[in-house]
Amino acid sequence: KALSINSKMSLLSTDLVFGQDQTHLVHYMHQCAMAGKIQAPFLSDAAKFRPVHHSDLTKAVATASDSSLTGQFALRGSTEVSCRELLNLVENSCGKEAGATKARFETPIFPIGRMLEEFLIGTAADTNMAEMLAFFSENQDAPVSGADFWQATGTEAEQELRQFFQKHRVEDGDASLLLPTFGGYKFNYAD
């Protein structure tokens, strides 16, 4: 007997995802906005993203699974923002003025200090995110590759980034800011 299998597959590569349940990077930005300090690469105007809302991501997965679509597709939101602009939206949702979060000094005076830190506790999650943003600043095609999903399916993202953050509010002491703890970003095994 021959077994016939319909082998259709779509790979959806997402840009940053935003929504009520914050992604790791956006969550970290909220914590830093509350603290008033963040690593310098997060203040980049060169690293650009088109964040997609988690409900649009869900819609895209359902559309892809119900269609005969095959291939790799980029799943992005409708609004392009720089990392700094995204941080400004996050700051406003935290009740802070745009630009209130300042770069914190991270570079050890001697490179041996960074090597020792990485040997003792590994490269921290916050450092990995900062290095990722520095890489994206230089390589704009890196975050998401593939044909545009919305064009390929004749659909579009419904949630708009700026409108979401105008309504989304995070207060100081909000339970959502506690996990992982702000310090947990320094120790990978604590997350």
Side-chain angles (χ1 to χ4, degrees), residues 13-19 21 23 26 49-60 74-79 81 86 144 149-150 156-161 165:
S13 302
T14 63
D15 207 310
L16 294 177
V17 179
F18 69 96
D21 297 323
T23 59
V26 176
F49 301 96
R50 285 180 42 200
V52 61
H53 191 272
H54 59 76
S55 67
D56 288 325
L57 173 57
T58 302
K59 173 184 155 184
L75 187 58
R76 299 179 179 102
S78 58
T79 304
V81 291
L86 180 59
V144 183
F149 176 81
W150 305 116
E156 62 185 29
E158 295 175 3
Q159 303 297 320
E160 207 283 317
L161 180 72
F165 278 104

PDB file of all heavy atoms in Angstrom, residues 13-19 21 23 26 49-60 74-79 81 86 144 149-150 156-161 165:
ATOM      1  N   SER A  13       7.961  33.635   9.849  1.00  0.00           N
ATOM      2  CA  SER A  13       9.000  34.285  10.646  1.00  0.00           C
ATOM      3  C   SER A  13       8.438  35.595  11.165  1.00  0.00           C
ATOM      4  O   SER A  13       8.093  36.473  10.363  1.00  0.00           O
ATOM      5  CB  SER A  13      10.245  34.553   9.795  1.00  0.00           C
ATOM      6  OG  SER A  13      10.748  33.359   9.259  1.00  0.00           O
ATOM      7  N   THR A  14       8.339  35.726  12.472  1.00  0.00           N
ATOM      8  CA  THR A  14       7.710  36.924  13.030  1.00  0.00           C
ATOM      9  C   THR A  14       8.732  38.002  13.364  1.00  0.00           C
ATOM     10  O   THR A  14       9.867  37.723  13.726  1.00  0.00           O
ATOM     11  CB  THR A  14       6.934  36.608  14.320  1.00  0.00           C
ATOM     12  OG1 THR A  14       7.844  36.144  15.312  1.00  0.00           O
ATOM     13  CG2 THR A  14       5.865  35.572  14.075  1.00  0.00           C
ATOM     14  N   ASP A  15       8.260  39.223  13.249  1.00  0.00           N
ATOM     15  CA  ASP A  15       9.001  40.365  13.752  1.00  0.00           C
ATOM     16  C   ASP A  15       8.730  40.379  15.262  1.00  0.00           C
ATOM     17  O   ASP A  15       8.169  39.411  15.795  1.00  0.00           O
ATOM     18  CB  ASP A  15       8.480  41.643  13.076  1.00  0.00           C
ATOM     19  CG  ASP A  15       9.544  42.727  13.007  1.00  0.00           C
ATOM     20  OD1 ASP A  15      10.160  43.020  14.043  1.00  0.00           O
ATOM     21  OD2 ASP A  15       9.754  43.287  11.921  1.00  0.00           O
ATOM     22  N   LEU A  16       9.076  41.437  15.969  1.00  0.00           N
ATOM     23  CA  LEU A  16       8.747  41.520  17.393  1.00  0.00           C
ATOM     24  C   LEU A  16       7.244  41.350  17.567  1.00  0.00           C
ATOM     25  O   LEU A  16       6.466  41.792  16.733  1.00  0.00           O
ATOM     26  CB  LEU A  16       9.156  42.875  17.963  1.00  0.00           C
ATOM     27  CG  LEU A  16      10.641  43.186  18.011  1.00  0.00           C
ATOM     28  CD1 LEU A  16      10.859  44.593  18.541  1.00  0.00           C
ATOM     29  CD2 LEU A  16      11.386  42.186  18.851  1.00  0.00           C
ATOM     30  N   VAL A  17       6.839  40.719  18.649  1.00  0.00           N
ATOM     31  CA  VAL A  17       5.417  40.514  18.931  1.00  0.00           C
ATOM     32  C   VAL A  17       5.057  41.373  20.141  1.00  0.00           C
ATOM     33  O   VAL A  17       5.800  41.438  21.115  1.00  0.00           O
ATOM     34  CB  VAL A  17       5.116  39.024  19.206  1.00  0.00           C
ATOM     35  CG1 VAL A  17       3.647  38.814  19.522  1.00  0.00           C
ATOM     36  CG2 VAL A  17       5.538  38.174  18.001  1.00  0.00           C
ATOM     37  N   PHE A  18       3.900  42.041  20.067  1.00  0.00           N
ATOM     38  CA  PHE A  18       3.443  42.858  21.192  1.00  0.00           C
ATOM     39  C   PHE A  18       2.002  42.492  21.527  1.00  0.00           C
ATOM     40  O   PHE A  18       1.319  41.841  20.754  1.00  0.00           O
ATOM     41  CB  PHE A  18       3.564  44.362  20.881  1.00  0.00           C
ATOM     42  CG  PHE A  18       2.599  44.865  19.839  1.00  0.00           C
ATOM     43  CD1 PHE A  18       1.401  45.455  20.216  1.00  0.00           C
ATOM     44  CD2 PHE A  18       2.880  44.763  18.482  1.00  0.00           C
ATOM     45  CE1 PHE A  18       0.502  45.928  19.260  1.00  0.00           C
ATOM     46  CE2 PHE A  18       2.001  45.235  17.525  1.00  0.00           C
ATOM     47  CZ  PHE A  18       0.806  45.813  17.916  1.00  0.00           C
ATOM     48  N   GLY A  19       1.566  42.903  22.709  1.00  0.00           N
ATOM     49  CA  GLY A  19       0.204  42.655  23.163  1.00  0.00           C
ATOM     50  C   GLY A  19       0.158  42.665  24.679  1.00  0.00           C
ATOM     51  O   GLY A  19       1.115  43.063  25.343  1.00  0.00           O
ATOM     52  N   ASP A  21       0.220  40.187  26.770  1.00  0.00           N
ATOM     53  CA  ASP A  21       1.275  39.312  27.289  1.00  0.00           C
ATOM     54  C   ASP A  21       2.558  39.691  26.573  1.00  0.00           C
ATOM     55  O   ASP A  21       2.795  39.282  25.445  1.00  0.00           O
ATOM     56  CB  ASP A  21       0.933  37.839  27.040  1.00  0.00           C
ATOM     57  CG  ASP A  21      -0.322  37.419  27.770  1.00  0.00           C
ATOM     58  OD1 ASP A  21      -0.535  37.897  28.898  1.00  0.00           O
ATOM     59  OD2 ASP A  21      -1.082  36.614  27.207  1.00  0.00           O
ATOM     60  N   THR A  23       6.274  40.194  25.146  1.00  0.00           N
ATOM     61  CA  THR A  23       7.406  39.350  24.802  1.00  0.00           C
ATOM     62  C   THR A  23       8.581  39.739  25.690  1.00  0.00           C
ATOM     63  O   THR A  23       8.571  40.788  26.338  1.00  0.00           O
ATOM     64  CB  THR A  23       7.784  39.528  23.324  1.00  0.00           C
ATOM     65  OG1 THR A  23       8.100  40.903  23.097  1.00  0.00           O
ATOM     66  CG2 THR A  23       6.665  39.075  22.409  1.00  0.00           C
ATOM     67  N   VAL A  26      10.118  43.317  24.911  1.00  0.00           N
ATOM     68  CA  VAL A  26       9.228  44.428  25.274  1.00  0.00           C
ATOM     69  C   VAL A  26       9.033  44.482  26.792  1.00  0.00           C
ATOM     70  O   VAL A  26       9.002  45.559  27.393  1.00  0.00           O
ATOM     71  CB  VAL A  26       7.874  44.326  24.526  1.00  0.00           C
ATOM     72  CG1 VAL A  26       6.913  45.425  24.960  1.00  0.00           C
ATOM     73  CG2 VAL A  26       8.101  44.392  23.015  1.00  0.00           C
ATOM     74  N   PHE A  49      11.989  47.814  13.273  1.00  0.00           N
ATOM     75  CA  PHE A  49      11.109  46.656  13.373  1.00  0.00           C
ATOM     76  C   PHE A  49       9.709  47.042  12.915  1.00  0.00           C
ATOM     77  O   PHE A  49       9.354  48.222  12.890  1.00  0.00           O
ATOM     78  CB  PHE A  49      11.040  46.163  14.826  1.00  0.00           C
ATOM     79  CG  PHE A  49      12.370  45.786  15.382  1.00  0.00           C
ATOM     80  CD1 PHE A  49      13.106  46.681  16.139  1.00  0.00           C
ATOM     81  CD2 PHE A  49      12.902  44.537  15.135  1.00  0.00           C
ATOM     82  CE1 PHE A  49      14.343  46.336  16.647  1.00  0.00           C
ATOM     83  CE2 PHE A  49      14.139  44.180  15.634  1.00  0.00           C
ATOM     84  CZ  PHE A  49      14.868  45.084  16.398  1.00  0.00           C
ATOM     85  N   ARG A  50       8.923  46.033  12.597  1.00  0.00           N
ATOM     86  CA  ARG A  50       7.497  46.210  12.327  1.00  0.00           C
ATOM     87  C   ARG A  50       6.774  45.211  13.227  1.00  0.00           C
ATOM     88  O   ARG A  50       6.379  44.133  12.788  1.00  0.00           O
ATOM     89  CB  ARG A  50       7.195  45.969  10.846  1.00  0.00           C
ATOM     90  CG  ARG A  50       7.663  47.137   9.984  1.00  0.00           C
ATOM     91  CD  ARG A  50       7.406  47.006   8.514  1.00  0.00           C
ATOM     92  NE  ARG A  50       6.111  46.466   8.190  1.00  0.00           N
ATOM     93  CZ  ARG A  50       5.827  45.912   7.020  1.00  0.00           C
ATOM     94  NH1 ARG A  50       6.734  45.807   6.084  1.00  0.00           N
ATOM     95  NH2 ARG A  50       4.631  45.438   6.783  1.00  0.00           N
ATOM     96  N   PRO A  51       6.629  45.549  14.515  1.00  0.00           N
ATOM     97  CA  PRO A  51       6.037  44.608  15.476  1.00  0.00           C
ATOM     98  C   PRO A  51       4.624  44.183  15.087  1.00  0.00           C
ATOM     99  O   PRO A  51       3.841  44.977  14.568  1.00  0.00           O
ATOM    100  CB  PRO A  51       6.032  45.398  16.791  1.00  0.00           C
ATOM    101  CG  PRO A  51       7.096  46.439  16.610  1.00  0.00           C
ATOM    102  CD  PRO A  51       7.036  46.803  15.150  1.00  0.00           C
ATOM    103  N   VAL A  52       4.323  42.923  15.371  1.00  0.00           N
ATOM    104  CA  VAL A  52       3.014  42.355  15.047  1.00  0.00           C
ATOM    105  C   VAL A  52       2.302  41.988  16.350  1.00  0.00           C
ATOM    106  O   VAL A  52       2.931  41.478  17.285  1.00  0.00           O
ATOM    107  CB  VAL A  52       3.159  41.136  14.099  1.00  0.00           C
ATOM    108  CG1 VAL A  52       3.973  40.026  14.719  1.00  0.00           C
ATOM    109  CG2 VAL A  52       1.818  40.634  13.623  1.00  0.00           C
ATOM    110  N   HIS A  53       1.021  42.288  16.435  1.00  0.00           N
ATOM    111  CA  HIS A  53       0.225  41.994  17.630  1.00  0.00           C
ATOM    112  C   HIS A  53      -0.024  40.495  17.721  1.00  0.00           C
ATOM    113  O   HIS A  53      -0.184  39.823  16.703  1.00  0.00           O
ATOM    114  CB  HIS A  53      -1.099  42.758  17.566  1.00  0.00           C
ATOM    115  CG  HIS A  53      -1.864  42.739  18.845  1.00  0.00           C
ATOM    116  ND1 HIS A  53      -2.746  41.732  19.155  1.00  0.00           N
ATOM    117  CD2 HIS A  53      -1.866  43.601  19.893  1.00  0.00           C
ATOM    118  CE1 HIS A  53      -3.273  41.978  20.352  1.00  0.00           C
ATOM    119  NE2 HIS A  53      -2.754  43.111  20.821  1.00  0.00           N
ATOM    120  N   HIS A  54      -0.090  39.965  18.952  1.00  0.00           N
ATOM    121  CA  HIS A  54      -0.259  38.516  19.107  1.00  0.00           C
ATOM    122  C   HIS A  54      -1.584  38.012  18.527  1.00  0.00           C
ATOM    123  O   HIS A  54      -1.663  36.879  18.054  1.00  0.00           O
ATOM    124  CB  HIS A  54      -0.066  38.056  20.551  1.00  0.00           C
ATOM    125  CG  HIS A  54      -0.988  38.666  21.558  1.00  0.00           C
ATOM    126  ND1 HIS A  54      -2.292  38.305  21.704  1.00  0.00           N
ATOM    127  CD2 HIS A  54      -0.758  39.635  22.475  1.00  0.00           C
ATOM    128  CE1 HIS A  54      -2.850  39.005  22.666  1.00  0.00           C
ATOM    129  NE2 HIS A  54      -1.942  39.824  23.155  1.00  0.00           N
ATOM    130  N   SER A  55      -2.620  38.849  18.478  1.00  0.00           N
ATOM    131  CA  SER A  55      -3.877  38.395  17.861  1.00  0.00           C
ATOM    132  C   SER A  55      -3.734  38.299  16.342  1.00  0.00           C
ATOM    133  O   SER A  55      -4.329  37.414  15.712  1.00  0.00           O
ATOM    134  CB  SER A  55      -5.048  39.314  18.235  1.00  0.00           C
ATOM    135  OG  SER A  55      -4.881  40.594  17.669  1.00  0.00           O
ATOM    136  N   ASP A  56      -2.926  39.180  15.742  1.00  0.00           N
ATOM    137  CA  ASP A  56      -2.653  39.073  14.306  1.00  0.00           C
ATOM    138  C   ASP A  56      -1.796  37.848  14.004  1.00  0.00           C
ATOM    139  O   ASP A  56      -1.965  37.200  12.970  1.00  0.00           O
ATOM    140  CB  ASP A  56      -1.980  40.342  13.783  1.00  0.00           C
ATOM    141  CG  ASP A  56      -2.932  41.529  13.726  1.00  0.00           C
ATOM    142  OD1 ASP A  56      -4.133  41.309  13.434  1.00  0.00           O
ATOM    143  OD2 ASP A  56      -2.492  42.656  13.974  1.00  0.00           O
ATOM    144  N   LEU A  57      -0.897  37.521  14.919  1.00  0.00           N
ATOM    145  CA  LEU A  57      -0.090  36.298  14.773  1.00  0.00           C
ATOM    146  C   LEU A  57      -0.997  35.073  14.794  1.00  0.00           C
ATOM    147  O   LEU A  57      -0.879  34.177  13.953  1.00  0.00           O
ATOM    148  CB  LEU A  57       0.955  36.227  15.897  1.00  0.00           C
ATOM    149  CG  LEU A  57       1.773  34.951  16.011  1.00  0.00           C
ATOM    150  CD1 LEU A  57       2.524  34.629  14.734  1.00  0.00           C
ATOM    151  CD2 LEU A  57       2.732  35.059  17.180  1.00  0.00           C
ATOM    152  N   THR A  58      -1.945  35.041  15.720  1.00  0.00           N
ATOM    153  CA  THR A  58      -2.899  33.935  15.803  1.00  0.00           C
ATOM    154  C   THR A  58      -3.726  33.838  14.528  1.00  0.00           C
ATOM    155  O   THR A  58      -3.931  32.750  13.977  1.00  0.00           O
ATOM    156  CB  THR A  58      -3.826  34.124  17.027  1.00  0.00           C
ATOM    157  OG1 THR A  58      -3.029  34.208  18.200  1.00  0.00           O
ATOM    158  CG2 THR A  58      -4.824  32.998  17.151  1.00  0.00           C
ATOM    159  N   LYS A  59      -4.185  34.981  14.042  1.00  0.00           N
ATOM    160  CA  LYS A  59      -4.960  35.025  12.798  1.00  0.00           C
ATOM    161  C   LYS A  59      -4.127  34.486  11.629  1.00  0.00           C
ATOM    162  O   LYS A  59      -4.631  33.727  10.794  1.00  0.00           O
ATOM    163  CB  LYS A  59      -5.397  36.468  12.526  1.00  0.00           C
ATOM    164  CG  LYS A  59      -6.071  36.700  11.197  1.00  0.00           C
ATOM    165  CD  LYS A  59      -6.370  38.188  11.029  1.00  0.00           C
ATOM    166  CE  LYS A  59      -6.464  38.564   9.576  1.00  0.00           C
ATOM    167  NZ  LYS A  59      -6.664  40.004   9.392  1.00  0.00           N
ATOM    168  N   ALA A  60      -2.866  34.852  11.567  1.00  0.00           N
ATOM    169  CA  ALA A  60      -1.992  34.412  10.481  1.00  0.00           C
ATOM    170  C   ALA A  60      -1.771  32.900  10.521  1.00  0.00           C
ATOM    171  O   ALA A  60      -1.795  32.235   9.484  1.00  0.00           O
ATOM    172  CB  ALA A  60      -0.656  35.144  10.550  1.00  0.00           C
ATOM    173  N   ALA A  74       7.341  36.334   5.894  1.00  0.00           N
ATOM    174  CA  ALA A  74       7.623  37.296   6.956  1.00  0.00           C
ATOM    175  C   ALA A  74       6.297  37.803   7.504  1.00  0.00           C
ATOM    176  O   ALA A  74       5.429  38.229   6.746  1.00  0.00           O
ATOM    177  CB  ALA A  74       8.442  38.457   6.402  1.00  0.00           C
ATOM    178  N   LEU A  75       6.155  37.729   8.800  1.00  0.00           N
ATOM    179  CA  LEU A  75       4.932  38.176   9.457  1.00  0.00           C
ATOM    180  C   LEU A  75       5.261  39.427  10.259  1.00  0.00           C
ATOM    181  O   LEU A  75       5.900  39.359  11.307  1.00  0.00           O
ATOM    182  CB  LEU A  75       4.385  37.073  10.363  1.00  0.00           C
ATOM    183  CG  LEU A  75       3.035  37.325  10.997  1.00  0.00           C
ATOM    184  CD1 LEU A  75       1.973  37.577   9.933  1.00  0.00           C
ATOM    185  CD2 LEU A  75       2.642  36.154  11.858  1.00  0.00           C
ATOM    186  N   ARG A  76       4.841  40.555   9.722  1.00  0.00           N
ATOM    187  CA  ARG A  76       5.147  41.850  10.331  1.00  0.00           C
ATOM    188  C   ARG A  76       3.874  42.640  10.544  1.00  0.00           C
ATOM    189  O   ARG A  76       2.868  42.408   9.893  1.00  0.00           O
ATOM    190  CB  ARG A  76       6.046  42.657   9.391  1.00  0.00           C
ATOM    191  CG  ARG A  76       7.366  42.039   9.072  1.00  0.00           C
ATOM    192  CD  ARG A  76       8.123  42.947   8.100  1.00  0.00           C
ATOM    193  NE  ARG A  76       9.411  42.435   7.768  1.00  0.00           N
ATOM    194  CZ  ARG A  76       9.689  41.817   6.608  1.00  0.00           C
ATOM    195  NH1 ARG A  76       8.761  41.648   5.698  1.00  0.00           N
ATOM    196  NH2 ARG A  76      10.905  41.390   6.370  1.00  0.00           N
ATOM    197  N   GLY A  77       3.976  43.623  11.437  1.00  0.00           N
ATOM    198  CA  GLY A  77       2.873  44.545  11.651  1.00  0.00           C
ATOM    199  C   GLY A  77       2.876  45.621  10.581  1.00  0.00           C
ATOM    200  O   GLY A  77       3.746  45.654   9.708  1.00  0.00           O
ATOM    201  N   SER A  78       1.934  46.537  10.666  1.00  0.00           N
ATOM    202  CA  SER A  78       1.783  47.573   9.646  1.00  0.00           C
ATOM    203  C   SER A  78       2.645  48.803   9.890  1.00  0.00           C
ATOM    204  O   SER A  78       2.834  49.613   8.998  1.00  0.00           O
ATOM    205  CB  SER A  78       0.314  47.990   9.549  1.00  0.00           C
ATOM    206  OG  SER A  78      -0.136  48.458  10.810  1.00  0.00           O
ATOM    207  N   THR A  79       3.192  48.955  11.104  1.00  0.00           N
ATOM    208  CA  THR A  79       3.928  50.163  11.459  1.00  0.00           C
ATOM    209  C   THR A  79       5.398  49.862  11.707  1.00  0.00           C
ATOM    210  O   THR A  79       5.735  49.015  12.529  1.00  0.00           O
ATOM    211  CB  THR A  79       3.334  50.788  12.741  1.00  0.00           C
ATOM    212  OG1 THR A  79       1.954  51.041  12.540  1.00  0.00           O
ATOM    213  CG2 THR A  79       4.041  52.080  13.105  1.00  0.00           C
ATOM    214  N   VAL A  81       8.922  50.961  13.251  1.00  0.00           N
ATOM    215  CA  VAL A  81       9.478  51.833  14.284  1.00  0.00           C
ATOM    216  C   VAL A  81      10.939  51.466  14.522  1.00  0.00           C
ATOM    217  O   VAL A  81      11.336  50.319  14.335  1.00  0.00           O
ATOM    218  CB  VAL A  81       8.716  51.717  15.635  1.00  0.00           C
ATOM    219  CG1 VAL A  81       7.335  52.295  15.557  1.00  0.00           C
ATOM    220  CG2 VAL A  81       8.695  50.293  16.144  1.00  0.00           C
ATOM    221  N   LEU A  86      10.112  52.510  19.651  1.00  0.00           N
ATOM    222  CA  LEU A  86       9.384  51.503  20.421  1.00  0.00           C
ATOM    223  C   LEU A  86       9.568  51.746  21.915  1.00  0.00           C
ATOM    224  O   LEU A  86       8.609  51.698  22.688  1.00  0.00           O
ATOM    225  CB  LEU A  86       9.839  50.090  20.046  1.00  0.00           C
ATOM    226  CG  LEU A  86       9.157  48.946  20.783  1.00  0.00           C
ATOM    227  CD1 LEU A  86       7.641  48.966  20.570  1.00  0.00           C
ATOM    228  CD2 LEU A  86       9.742  47.605  20.344  1.00  0.00           C
ATOM    229  N   VAL A 144      13.677  39.560  10.046  1.00  0.00           N
ATOM    230  CA  VAL A 144      12.621  38.729   9.460  1.00  0.00           C
ATOM    231  C   VAL A 144      12.913  38.546   7.974  1.00  0.00           C
ATOM    232  O   VAL A 144      13.171  39.514   7.276  1.00  0.00           O
ATOM    233  CB  VAL A 144      11.237  39.379   9.626  1.00  0.00           C
ATOM    234  CG1 VAL A 144      10.147  38.499   9.089  1.00  0.00           C
ATOM    235  CG2 VAL A 144      10.967  39.716  11.085  1.00  0.00           C
ATOM    236  N   PHE A 149       3.660  37.926   4.352  1.00  0.00           N
ATOM    237  CA  PHE A 149       2.527  37.020   4.554  1.00  0.00           C
ATOM    238  C   PHE A 149       1.202  37.665   4.181  1.00  0.00           C
ATOM    239  O   PHE A 149       0.358  37.050   3.536  1.00  0.00           O
ATOM    240  CB  PHE A 149       2.477  36.539   6.011  1.00  0.00           C
ATOM    241  CG  PHE A 149       1.278  35.688   6.307  1.00  0.00           C
ATOM    242  CD1 PHE A 149       1.271  34.347   5.975  1.00  0.00           C
ATOM    243  CD2 PHE A 149       0.140  36.226   6.884  1.00  0.00           C
ATOM    244  CE1 PHE A 149       0.160  33.554   6.218  1.00  0.00           C
ATOM    245  CE2 PHE A 149      -0.979  35.452   7.136  1.00  0.00           C
ATOM    246  CZ  PHE A 149      -0.955  34.101   6.798  1.00  0.00           C
ATOM    247  N   TRP A 150       1.016  38.915   4.584  1.00  0.00           N
ATOM    248  CA  TRP A 150      -0.262  39.590   4.356  1.00  0.00           C
ATOM    249  C   TRP A 150      -0.515  39.767   2.860  1.00  0.00           C
ATOM    250  O   TRP A 150      -1.641  39.563   2.390  1.00  0.00           O
ATOM    251  CB  TRP A 150      -0.304  40.927   5.085  1.00  0.00           C
ATOM    252  CG  TRP A 150      -0.026  40.812   6.552  1.00  0.00           C
ATOM    253  CD1 TRP A 150       1.036  41.347   7.223  1.00  0.00           C
ATOM    254  CD2 TRP A 150      -0.793  40.107   7.539  1.00  0.00           C
ATOM    255  NE1 TRP A 150       0.976  41.020   8.556  1.00  0.00           N
ATOM    256  CE2 TRP A 150      -0.138  40.262   8.782  1.00  0.00           C
ATOM    257  CE3 TRP A 150      -1.963  39.354   7.499  1.00  0.00           C
ATOM    258  CZ2 TRP A 150      -0.615  39.709   9.973  1.00  0.00           C
ATOM    259  CZ3 TRP A 150      -2.434  38.795   8.692  1.00  0.00           C
ATOM    260  CH2 TRP A 150      -1.772  38.971   9.900  1.00  0.00           C
ATOM    261  N   GLU A 156      -4.601  41.392   6.005  1.00  0.00           N
ATOM    262  CA  GLU A 156      -3.766  42.431   6.613  1.00  0.00           C
ATOM    263  C   GLU A 156      -3.824  42.359   8.129  1.00  0.00           C
ATOM    264  O   GLU A 156      -4.767  41.817   8.704  1.00  0.00           O
ATOM    265  CB  GLU A 156      -4.177  43.818   6.134  1.00  0.00           C
ATOM    266  CG  GLU A 156      -5.582  44.204   6.494  1.00  0.00           C
ATOM    267  CD  GLU A 156      -5.990  45.555   5.899  1.00  0.00           C
ATOM    268  OE1 GLU A 156      -5.477  45.938   4.838  1.00  0.00           O
ATOM    269  OE2 GLU A 156      -6.836  46.202   6.523  1.00  0.00           O
ATOM    270  N   ALA A 157      -2.795  42.916   8.744  1.00  0.00           N
ATOM    271  CA  ALA A 157      -2.762  43.006  10.203  1.00  0.00           C
ATOM    272  C   ALA A 157      -3.854  43.978  10.645  1.00  0.00           C
ATOM    273  O   ALA A 157      -4.079  45.004  10.000  1.00  0.00           O
ATOM    274  CB  ALA A 157      -1.397  43.494  10.665  1.00  0.00           C
ATOM    275  N   GLU A 158      -4.532  43.652  11.730  1.00  0.00           N
ATOM    276  CA  GLU A 158      -5.631  44.494  12.207  1.00  0.00           C
ATOM    277  C   GLU A 158      -5.229  45.414  13.341  1.00  0.00           C
ATOM    278  O   GLU A 158      -5.815  46.476  13.516  1.00  0.00           O
ATOM    279  CB  GLU A 158      -6.798  43.600  12.649  1.00  0.00           C
ATOM    280  CG  GLU A 158      -7.405  42.818  11.507  1.00  0.00           C
ATOM    281  CD  GLU A 158      -8.478  41.843  11.959  1.00  0.00           C
ATOM    282  OE1 GLU A 158      -8.812  41.807  13.165  1.00  0.00           O
ATOM    283  OE2 GLU A 158      -8.980  41.100  11.095  1.00  0.00           O
ATOM    284  N   GLN A 159      -4.269  45.004  14.150  1.00  0.00           N
ATOM    285  CA  GLN A 159      -3.894  45.784  15.331  1.00  0.00           C
ATOM    286  C   GLN A 159      -2.766  46.753  14.995  1.00  0.00           C
ATOM    287  O   GLN A 159      -1.778  46.377  14.387  1.00  0.00           O
ATOM    288  CB  GLN A 159      -3.447  44.846  16.456  1.00  0.00           C
ATOM    289  CG  GLN A 159      -4.482  43.814  16.846  1.00  0.00           C
ATOM    290  CD  GLN A 159      -5.734  44.435  17.410  1.00  0.00           C
ATOM    291  OE1 GLN A 159      -5.669  45.397  18.173  1.00  0.00           O
ATOM    292  NE2 GLN A 159      -6.879  43.891  17.040  1.00  0.00           N
ATOM    293  N   GLU A 160      -2.915  47.998  15.428  1.00  0.00           N
ATOM    294  CA  GLU A 160      -1.933  49.033  15.151  1.00  0.00           C
ATOM    295  C   GLU A 160      -1.106  49.294  16.407  1.00  0.00           C
ATOM    296  O   GLU A 160      -1.639  49.474  17.492  1.00  0.00           O
ATOM    297  CB  GLU A 160      -2.638  50.311  14.690  1.00  0.00           C
ATOM    298  CG  GLU A 160      -1.808  51.198  13.786  1.00  0.00           C
ATOM    299  CD  GLU A 160      -0.750  52.000  14.527  1.00  0.00           C
ATOM    300  OE1 GLU A 160      -1.054  52.544  15.598  1.00  0.00           O
ATOM    301  OE2 GLU A 160       0.382  52.079  14.026  1.00  0.00           O
ATOM    302  N   LEU A 161       0.200  49.323  16.250  1.00  0.00           N
ATOM    303  CA  LEU A 161       1.156  49.442  17.348  1.00  0.00           C
ATOM    304  C   LEU A 161       0.922  50.684  18.214  1.00  0.00           C
ATOM    305  O   LEU A 161       0.791  50.582  19.428  1.00  0.00           O
ATOM    306  CB  LEU A 161       2.575  49.457  16.765  1.00  0.00           C
ATOM    307  CG  LEU A 161       3.728  49.585  17.745  1.00  0.00           C
ATOM    308  CD1 LEU A 161       3.882  48.281  18.531  1.00  0.00           C
ATOM    309  CD2 LEU A 161       5.025  49.902  17.014  1.00  0.00           C
ATOM    310  N   PHE A 165      -0.333  50.961  22.316  1.00  0.00           N
ATOM    311  CA  PHE A 165       0.428  51.536  23.424  1.00  0.00           C
ATOM    312  C   PHE A 165      -0.216  52.802  23.986  1.00  0.00           C
ATOM    313  O   PHE A 165       0.052  53.169  25.125  1.00  0.00           O
ATOM    314  CB  PHE A 165       1.892  51.772  23.027  1.00  0.00           C
ATOM    315  CG  PHE A 165       2.720  50.521  23.141  1.00  0.00           C
ATOM    316  CD1 PHE A 165       3.087  49.813  22.021  1.00  0.00           C
ATOM    317  CD2 PHE A 165       3.106  50.035  24.379  1.00  0.00           C
ATOM    318  CE1 PHE A 165       3.843  48.647  22.120  1.00  0.00           C
ATOM    319  CE2 PHE A 165       3.849  48.872  24.498  1.00  0.00           C
ATOM    320  CZ  PHE A 165       4.215  48.181  23.364  1.00  0.00           C
TER     321      PHE A 165
END
